[in-house]
Amino acid sequence: MDPVLLTTFGTLIVLLIFTVPIGVSIGTAVFMGMMVGGLPPVFLAQKMYSALDSFPLLAVPFFIVAGDIMQKGTIANSLLAVSRCLVGHIKGGMAHISILTSLFYGALSGSAAATVAAVGGIMIPAMEKEGYPKEFATAVNSTSGCLGIMIPPSIPLILFGSTAGVSISDLFVATIVPGILMGCALMLVSYVICVRRKYGKTVARAKFAEMLKALYEAKWAIMVPVIVLGGIYGGITTPTEAGAIAVVYALFVEVFITRSMTRKLFFEIIKSSVRINAAIFLVVATALGQIMMYYNLSAAVLDTIMGISTSKVVIMALILVVLLILGTFLEAAAIIMIVTPLLLPVINAIGVDPVHFGIIMLTSFAVGGQTPPVGMTLFVGASIAKISIERLSIASIPYILTLVVMLVIIAFVPQLSLCLI
């Protein structure tokens, strides 16, 4: 391997082992590679600027702020009543309510961790009161948090689209069917577990009048995907413009209609959103992909993989293994910045649609979020329930296996992702 690339990736691995923040690790690794290669420091400054000089990337801070407003306000809470009316009567109803609410909430937040925090913070204690074991309740909510990124608008999809040069609108459409199927798969597993272990109480099906009342009370939350996604798919707005509209809409509802927004809460939301955006954009700006393209590492990766096999099935299997391993150690933004420039030539060579590849990566992030040592949704769930990562990891095994099976199905049945485009 080229000394520059060897230095870059060697430095990155060492810093990650010592748990240096991912943005700092990537930036330091790129800088060290530049020093070995004799590139001027201005190279890094130029590439950092060009990496951030992207109109589609502006959608990320907008959707993060909008999701934070709705999470800490009152808009999102009304979704629980709708979910209860729809699936509360099924065996293991509380588990199904958690999963369906996470599915709905994904259309508001675009973040897996935010989904677990918002839904799990309410549902984990509620499930315990209903007699569900703490480990099971936490496993359901932490795993279903992955639906927060599987339903548009999804922050990782915006990052992938910006990095790969793929239409973000197409990516949003492509993830709808896989996201719904993943939610159904998690509900099926929950049903089987609850039937076998006799979890939960049987309740009566909600009456039509109760359903109408729940829908009416949730009208402000339901309007979010209608306004945002309707504008994008109708060709009225770009994803970035839709993100700005979501912020204005959420503020308007929380300030003038529900009147839940206070000055203190507003500044808390801004501080929280700034921290999240800073962490994401530091990774985006560090220009790892740029230095890999400068030294043509993608061509070397393509030659190496094609040298192993030319079979599309074998290559896809190798890619899935790599994504699952990386998902265990790295966050989604870092994987996108590192892997996308390397694997795009490979998936183009074997005839995989870049939009489909984006959904494959997204699904692998759903698995990675639930696996230690970095699994973000796992840690959020454990902190809410105040249980050990070990206990939660064991309870989550059936759900993790389900997510892996769904990853394989989505990877090898591209029609699931591309049927609506």
Side-chain angles (χ1 to χ4, degrees):
M1 182 183 287
D2 187 284
V4 174
L5 297 174
L6 187 62
T7 301
T8 301
F9 283 98
T11 304
L12 177 61
I13 291 171
V14 170
L15 292 176
L16 291 176
I17 290 174
F18 284 97
T19 66
V20 176
I22 183 65
V24 177
S25 297
I26 294 177
T28 304
V30 170
F31 183 76
M32 294 299 294
M34 288 171 47
M35 293 301 98
V36 172
L39 293 174
V42 71
F43 174 87
L44 180 58
Q46 291 172 339
K47 296 304 179 183
M48 289 180 72
Y49 177 83
S50 62
L52 294 176
D53 186 21
S54 170
F55 181 71
L57 274 179
L58 282 174
V60 173
F62 285 136
F63 281 121
I64 287 176
V65 172
D68 221 9
I69 292 171
M70 290 180 279
Q71 175 191 341
K72 294 176 180 175
T74 61
I75 294 178
N77 292 340
S78 58
L79 295 173
L80 283 170
V82 176
S83 300
R84 187 181 295 275
C85 290
L86 289 173
V87 297
H89 61 281
I90 303 172
K91 182 65 177 178
M94 294 292 281
H96 304 315
I97 291 170
S98 296
I99 295 168
L100 189 59
T101 304
S102 296
L103 195 66
F104 289 154
Y105 194 85
L108 306 183
S109 73
S111 165
T115 301
V116 177
V119 179
I122 298 171
M123 290 303 300
I124 292 174
M127 290 181 70
E128 286 188 75
K129 289 181 181 179
E130 292 285 334
Y132 292 85
K134 179 181 288 189
E135 292 88 347
F136 174 75
T138 312
V140 169
N141 283 275
S142 61
T143 308
S144 61
C146 72
L147 300 174
I149 60 171
M150 290 301 299
I151 295 296
S154 168
I155 302 303
L157 276 188
I158 297 172
L159 294 175
F160 174 83
S162 301
T163 305
V166 178
S167 167
I168 296 173
S169 298
D170 286 348
L171 289 168
F172 280 1
V173 174
T175 194
I176 292 175
V177 172
I180 293 173
L181 290 177
M182 187 172 292
C184 292
L186 294 176
M187 292 177 70
L188 177 60
V189 172
S190 298
Y191 177 80
V192 171
I193 292 175
C194 290
V195 168
R196 289 186 174 182
R197 300 179 185 177
K198 300 181 180 180
Y199 292 160
K201 304 173 184 177
T202 302
V203 298
R205 183 191 293 267
K207 297 179 181 179
F208 184 69
E210 294 175 329
M211 172 60 72
L212 288 180
K213 181 182 178 181
L215 287 172
Y216 178 77
E217 292 177 348
K219 58 184 178 296
W220 302 117
I222 294 172
M223 285 301 296
V224 175
V226 173
I227 294 172
V228 173
L229 303 181
I232 294 173
Y233 303 152
I236 302 171
T237 64
T238 65
T240 301
E241 293 165 345
I245 292 171
V247 174
V248 174
Y249 174 84
L251 274 175
F252 179 82
V253 171
E254 298 291 358
V255 173
F256 296 106
I257 297 178
T258 65
R259 298 182 184 275
S260 63
M261 183 63 64
T262 63
R263 182 178 298 179
K264 180 180 179 182
L265 179 59
F266 177 76
F267 284 110
E268 286 179 0
I269 289 170
I270 296 301
K271 286 169 60 178
S272 171
S273 299
V274 167
R275 290 193 190 101
I276 297 171
N277 279 295
I280 292 174
F281 279 91
L282 182 59
V283 175
V284 174
T286 44
L288 180 60
Q290 298 288 343
I291 198 171
M292 289 190 294
M293 287 190 295
Y294 186 87
Y295 285 97
N296 207 21
L297 180 59
S298 57
V301 171
L302 175 61
D303 292 341
T304 301
I305 292 179
M306 299 303 285
I308 296 173
S309 175
T310 57
S311 168
K312 181 177 179 179
V313 174
V314 174
I315 292 174
M316 282 297 297
L318 288 173
I319 290 174
L320 292 184
V321 171
V322 170
L323 291 175
L324 286 174
I325 293 173
L326 289 176
T328 303
F329 296 99
L330 297 174
E331 296 178 0
I335 297 174
I336 291 169
M337 294 300 112
I338 295 171
V339 169
T340 303
L342 292 178
L343 292 185
L344 270 181
V346 177
I347 62 112
N348 287 329
I350 62 176
V352 175
D353 191 296
V355 172
H356 179 215
F357 180 61
I359 307 306
I360 293 172
M361 289 190 68
L362 187 71
T363 311
S364 73
F365 301 153
V367 181
Q370 195 61 23
T371 52
V374 176
M376 184 59 67
T377 57
L378 190 76
F379 281 94
V380 173
S383 64
I384 292 172
K386 295 180 173 58
I387 64 174
S388 68
I389 293 296
E390 292 77 15
R391 288 171 61 191
L392 179 54
S393 296
I394 293 172
S396 300
I397 288 175
Y399 294 101
I400 295 173
L401 293 176
T402 301
L403 294 178
V404 172
V405 170
M406 289 304 301
L407 172 61
V408 174
I409 293 173
I410 290 169
F412 290 101
V413 186
Q415 291 81 6
L416 295 176
S417 302
L418 305 177
C419 61
L420 298 180
I421 298 179

